[in-house]
Amino acid sequence: MSSSPTLPLHAPSLLLPPYDKAVAFGPRQRTDDWPLPGAALVWSVGRASSPQDFEVVRRRLPGLPLFLVLPPPEELEEVRPILSRLSELRPRAVLPAGPLITPDIIRALLTRTRRPIASELVEYLHRRSLLPSRIRTEVASMFESASHIRSITQLCRRLYTSRRTLGRHFEEQQVPAPSHWLQMARLLHVAVRLQRDKLPVFRAAIQGGYPDGFTMSNQMKRLLGWRPTEVRDAAGWEWLVESWIRCEVARGGFSRERYGAALQPYARDDAGPG
């Protein structure tokens, strides 16, 4: 790892590629260029932290992973009211105070997941109120199988159902077609490899079951709005899921009438990112 400055900043700070410095994070966030590729929010809680900081972090737009840095022991009592509510912030990780918390460390953590990516995706979309319980089992199976199932036909065999029945279930819930969910999951598996292992695009595509890098790149651009080389340099997966959601909103995949509150950041979008 290259050397990089120590982070902690007691005010919430935004870390962006190429992960060499943090900038101030305020309450005003534009939605026309959201999500921010590879962004992470870092907050070192300490005696200088305020309830206003807490609210700014709590109200952040979706797709922005949070890394909390705990205060040194001598400051714990002073910030106990904030620490008692940290679970409300849904942090990606809670880190100990110390000089080793650097942008390089945050970037490395962004490329890892606590659990298999399928479990993370199901939990994330459920929390976003974009995964109806009626299709949660089917979507979970898609995500779990995405590394080795290439088509909806193969998936339907695994689920002992027909393409027509599966498609009807998704249509009734007013969400994107099953093929879009499956292809998104496949691309997320590829993205994790690209970021974690810094693989060449061609090799990541072959490992992901695509015939070549060109095919995979076009699929990623169409469904997620970004090219593999962009995804490799911007760590994390939450922003990619939000990019997919934004693209699906523009395509009419998610019903604005049914999921309006969850889709608020993209309510006026007429086109996806990129």
Side-chain angles (χ1 to χ4, degrees):
M1 272 188 194
S2 61
S3 61
S4 58
T6 300
L7 275 174
L9 304 172
H10 289 301
S13 303
L14 198 61
L15 189 61
L16 295 165
Y19 305 103
D20 55 354
K21 61 181 179 180
V23 298
F25 179 77
R28 296 182 180 275
Q29 300 173 23
R30 294 172 54 192
T31 60
D32 54 351
D33 58 358
W34 197 263
L36 298 175
L41 184 59
V42 183
W43 184 24
S44 180
V45 182
R47 61 168 59 102
S49 301
S50 69
Q52 289 75 25
D53 291 332
F54 183 94
E55 287 303 312
V56 166
V57 173
R58 188 176 69 84
R59 295 176 182 274
R60 70 193 186 277
L61 286 171
L64 183 57
L66 170 66
F67 293 87
L68 287 168
V69 182
L70 294 174
E74 62 271 18
E75 296 184 27
L76 283 173
E77 192 59 37
E78 297 177 60
V79 296
R80 188 175 298 276
I82 292 177
L83 294 178
S84 66
R85 300 180 60 196
L86 289 188
S87 61
E88 298 177 33
L89 303 178
R90 298 187 180 278
R92 168 79 90 86
V94 179
L95 307 171
L100 297 180
I101 306 303
T102 67
D104 281 342
I105 293 294
I106 299 299
R107 190 205 179 280
L109 290 172
L110 279 170
T111 66
R112 300 315 195 255
T113 58
R114 295 170 296 172
R115 297 172 296 172
I117 187 64
S119 300
E120 297 281 6
L121 283 170
V122 168
E123 179 182 313
Y124 182 83
L125 290 166
H126 176 71
R127 190 167 67 244
R128 288 281 278 112
S129 300
L130 291 172
L131 182 56
S133 58
R134 292 286 298 275
I135 59 169
R136 183 167 180 171
T137 299
E138 288 115 322
V139 169
S141 183
M142 283 185 195
F143 291 169
E144 291 164 2
S145 309
S147 61
H148 56 275
I149 284 184
R150 314 295 185 225
S151 69
I152 290 298
T153 299
Q154 291 177 315
L155 177 70
C156 288
R157 292 196 195 105
R158 180 186 178 93
L159 295 175
Y160 301 101
T161 188
S162 68
R163 291 190 61 154
R164 179 175 297 180
T165 298
L166 186 66
R168 187 176 68 250
H169 288 171
F170 281 65
E171 185 177 2
E172 289 171 351
Q173 301 305 309
Q174 302 177 56
V175 297
S179 60
H180 287 204
W181 292 84
L182 177 60
Q183 295 307 319
M184 179 270 284
R186 291 185 66 196
L187 291 168
L188 260 291
H189 279 277
V190 172
V192 168
R193 292 192 190 99
L194 281 169
Q195 295 174 3
R196 183 188 60 209
D197 302 329
K198 289 292 185 180
L199 294 176
V201 171
F202 174 79
R203 185 179 299 176
I206 296 301
Q207 289 184 7
Y210 294 91
D212 51 60
F214 181 76
T215 300
M216 188 269 287
S217 179
N218 284 345
Q219 181 88 303
M220 187 173 284
K221 177 66 175 179
R222 184 176 68 85
L223 280 180
L224 305 185
W226 304 94
R227 293 289 183 186
T229 50
E230 298 170 312
V231 169
R232 184 172 53 197
D233 294 334
W237 57 267
E238 292 95 335
W239 70 272
L240 276 171
V241 176
E242 289 299 322
S243 291
W244 175 73
I245 293 169
R246 181 173 179 172
C247 288
E248 289 296 339
V249 169
R251 286 188 283 261
F254 284 104
S255 166
R256 295 177 189 243
E257 289 75 23
R258 179 164 180 172
Y259 302 102
L263 301 176
Q264 188 175 7
Y266 317 119
R268 292 179 296 278
D269 274 4
D270 295 318

